[in-house]
Amino acid sequence: MKATTSMINKQGYGVFKWASGNVYEGEFKDDERHGKGTMIWTDGIQYTGDWYRGIQHGFGTISFPDGSQKEGYFDNNVYIGEKKEEDTFT
């Protein structure tokens, strides 16, 4: 599946590119990023990992243009650290 802005209800694996130039490649469910995937923003930031209903949620790695990166758990798009406190999604 190659998703485009004209597609409705994206499902499965695909690539979606926003008009801004941001790109997501990975799994979709019910028209949202959901499962495993990679998002690349035009400012050079890249996140690879778990997505839940369109947000970074679960284990992942975020890389910054200066070469630094953080690997660990994310909760509602926020990096919470290397250790997972509890399973916050179903």
Side-chain angles (χ1 to χ4, degrees), residues 2-3 8 11 22 25 27-29 34-35 38 41 43 51 56 58 61 66 71 77 84 87 90:
K2 181 168 174 131
I8 298 173
Q11 300 287 336
N22 296 337
E25 180 174 355
E27 298 171 318
F28 291 90
K29 180 180 178 184
H34 190 89
T38 298
W41 288 269
D43 62 3
W51 293 85
Q56 302 161 17
T61 302
D66 67 2
E71 181 176 271
N77 288 334
K84 185 175 181 182
D87 187 10
T90 57

Side-chain angles (χ1 to χ4, degrees), residues 51-65:
W51 293 85
Y52 180 75
R53 295 187 177 173
I55 59 172
Q56 302 161 17
H57 199 80
F59 190 81
T61 302
I62 191 162
S63 304
F64 300 94

